[in-house]
Amino acid sequence: MVDSLGVAVIGFGWMGRVHTQAYTRVPHHYPQLPLRPQLVTVAEDVPGRAEEAAAQFGFASTTRDWREVAADPRVRAVSITAPNFLHREIGVAMAEAGKHIWIEKPVGLTVTDAQAVADAVAKAGVQGAVGFNYRNAPAVEAARELIAVGEIGTVTHVRVRLFSDYAAHPEGALTWRYEKERGGSGVLGDLASHGADLARYLLGDIASLTADTAVFIPERARPSGATAGHARATGGELGPVENEDYVNCLLRFASGARGVLEACRVSVGEQNNYGFEVHGTKGAVFWDFRRMNELGVSRGTTYQDQPVSTVYVGPGDGEFGAFQPGAANAMGYDDLKVIEAYRFLRSVAEGTPHGATPADAVPSAAVLDAMVRSAQSGAWVDVDA
C-alpha cells in the first residue's frame, strides 16, 4: 500500500528547484518507500516564478504568500528554501500548523533561530530534516564508520575546507546574502555551516574555538530586479558587503582532538573545493567533494612512510546502492538531495528521524555563533549549544 503525501515548496530559487527535482526522483530510486510525494503548491513572491515552476514540474497550484501553505489542508510536508532571514518564521509556522518540514541550513540567522525551529518541531510532534547534504555522500558515511571502528586509531586532528568562487567576481550582485539583516552571516552560514556539521558528524562535539574573519570585496552593485543564485549586476548603486567573505578557525573537540576549519566564498580558482583530512594515531582518511565517490585511506601498523590507498565506494556504503550497481560508478550533487528527500520522507512514514534534523542544526549554529564572538574578541571561546 502506497500513500500519497502532499508537499509544498516555499521559495523557488535554485535550491527550491533542487528540492522539487529530488521529490520527483525519490520513487525511482526508492520504490519500496510507502509514501509518494505529490507536488501540491509552490510559494514564491517573485512575479511569474511560481507559475513557471508549476508549468515545468506540475505543481497543482501556486501562491505568492507562504502563509497560505500553512492553511492548506492538502499539504502535509513543506520544503523551506526561502532566504535565511525567513527560516525561523516559516519553520515555526509550518511546524505549528502540523506540517513536516525539510528546511535548508543554516535554519535562521542565529543559534536562537535554529533552537526555535527545533523546539517547534519537537512540540508539534512532526518530522524535520535539514539540508546538510554533504554528510549524505556515501564516502562520507564510509569515512565516519571507518573512524568509529578505530581503523585510523584515535583521532588527533582534522582539517575541513570549503573554498568556492561563487562570490569572487567583483560584479556579483548585492543580494540578501550580503546583508546582515536578511542573510545574517556570510560564508559562515553558506559554507562553514556545512563544515561545522561535517566536523561534528565525523568527530563529535566541538568544545571551543578561535576564529578570524575578513571581507575581501567590501562593495557590490545593487541589482535592478529579482535575482536567483549568484547573479551579476553592473552600473547599479554600490552598497556595502555587511558579512564575511572568509573565515579560518581553530577547533578543540570534546574528545581532545584538534581541528582547522577554513571557508571562503571569493577564492579565485576554486570551484567547490570542499573536503576533509582526518588524522589518527594509526592512519588517516581523506575526502574531496570533487571526487565525491572516493576516499583516500591510510591504515596499518607501519606509521612512518605508510601509503595511502584510493578506495571507491560501492553498494555497501550509505545509499550508494540506490543509485549505482557497482563501485566507482559516479554519483553527483543532486543525488545527495535525493537521499536527503528519501530520509525525510522515510522519517514521515515511520515517525522516527532519519538523517540530519533541526536538532542537528542547533550545535552547528552554536559553532557559527562562537565564530562570530571569537572574531570580535580575538579570543578562544566556548561553544554553547
Side-chain angles (χ1 to χ4, degrees):
M1 180 70 178
V2 177
D3 294 329
S4 64
L5 182 80
V7 301
V9 176
I10 298 177
F12 208 81
W14 170 62
M15 190 51 65
R17 181 177 296 271
V18 171
H19 276 229
T20 301
Q21 291 170 167
Y23 283 130
T24 64
R25 289 181 56 196
V26 163
H28 305 157
H29 296 280
Y30 298 96
Q32 77 280 12
L33 186 69
L35 287 176
R36 291 291 183 271
Q38 300 295 320
L39 300 177
V40 171
T41 190
V42 55
E44 172 58 68
D45 62 3
V46 175
R49 190 178 286 175
E51 289 73 19
E52 291 175 5
Q56 181 174 2
F57 293 102
F59 286 96
S61 60
T62 66
T63 179
R64 293 185 63 180
D65 185 354
W66 62 261
R67 294 167 185 81
E68 292 183 4
V69 175
D72 192 334
R74 300 172 300 168
V75 175
R76 294 173 55 200
V78 181
S79 277
I80 302 170
T81 55
N84 297 350
F85 72 98
L86 292 170
H87 285 187
R88 175 176 180 168
E89 183 181 7
I90 298 176
V92 170
M94 294 301 151
E96 290 178 344
K99 318 292 188 187
H100 307 286
I101 64 170
W102 176 14
I103 186 169
E104 273 305 314
K105 56 82 202 170
V107 192
L109 305 182
T110 64
V111 68
T112 304
D113 289 349
Q115 187 67 65
V117 174
D119 289 345
V121 166
K123 183 177 180 180
V126 297
Q127 296 298 316
V130 176
F132 289 127
N133 41 267
Y134 299 109
R135 64 155 64 187
N136 296 325
V140 173
E141 296 190 82
R144 185 176 189 245
E145 177 64 19
L146 184 149
I147 293 166
V149 300
E151 284 289 314
I152 64 170
T154 300
V155 172
T156 53
H157 60 99
V158 60
R159 184 170 77 99
V160 182
R161 69 186 186 282
L162 299 109
F163 298 142
S164 184
D165 64 356
Y166 69 79
H169 202 292
E171 294 179 358
L174 187 69
T175 65
W176 61 267
R177 293 181 181 277
Y178 303 98
E179 300 173 2
K180 285 188 176 180
E181 184 177 353
R182 296 194 295 166
S185 60
V187 76
L188 294 186
D190 275 356
L191 296 180
S193 58
H194 283 298
D197 180 69
L198 278 175
R200 176 175 172 267
Y201 182 68
L202 293 169
L203 304 183
D205 288 336
I206 296 168
S208 61
L209 58 82
T210 183
D212 182 38
T213 62
V215 177
F216 295 135
I217 301 179
E219 289 186 321
R220 295 180 182 272
R222 300 185 188 281
S224 57
T227 61
H230 305 290
R232 295 184 190 176
T234 57
E237 178 188 358
L238 292 178
V241 172
E242 298 175 351
N243 50 35
E244 73 292 334
D245 290 325
Y246 170 83
V247 61
N248 67 65
C249 186
L250 298 179
L251 308 171
R252 291 174 179 164
F253 291 83
S255 66
R258 298 299 196 262
V260 177
L261 192 161
E262 190 176 15
C264 186
R265 64 187 180 187
V266 297
S267 296
V268 175
E270 300 280 15
Q271 296 86 39
N272 299 320
N273 181 0
Y274 309 152
F276 55 76
E277 301 99 43
V278 181
H279 294 266
T281 54
K282 296 194 302 181
V285 59
F286 310 91
W287 180 71
D288 187 327
F289 169 65
R290 298 164 300 179
R291 304 178 70 90
M292 192 178 82
N293 306 291
E294 302 176 17
L295 283 177
V297 180
S298 178
R299 53 189 164 187
T301 57
T302 59
Y303 300 99
Q304 187 177 7
D305 299 327
Q306 186 163 282
V308 177
S309 300
T310 297
V311 177
Y312 298 101
V313 294
D317 300 304
E319 296 293 332
F320 187 94
F323 297 84
Q324 300 293 348
N329 284 289
M331 290 175 61
Y333 175 87
D334 282 10
D335 295 330
L336 303 184
K337 301 306 277 191
V338 175
I339 294 170
E340 205 166 279
Y342 161 67
R343 288 175 171 167
F344 172 49
L345 296 171
R346 183 183 174 193
S347 299
V348 174
E350 299 179 3
T352 301
H354 295 279
T357 69
D360 291 309
V362 176
S364 174
V367 169
L368 303 188
D369 277 15
M371 288 181 185
V372 172
R373 288 187 280 115
S374 176
Q376 291 171 344
S377 67
W380 280 89
V381 300
D382 292 336
V383 176
D384 302 319

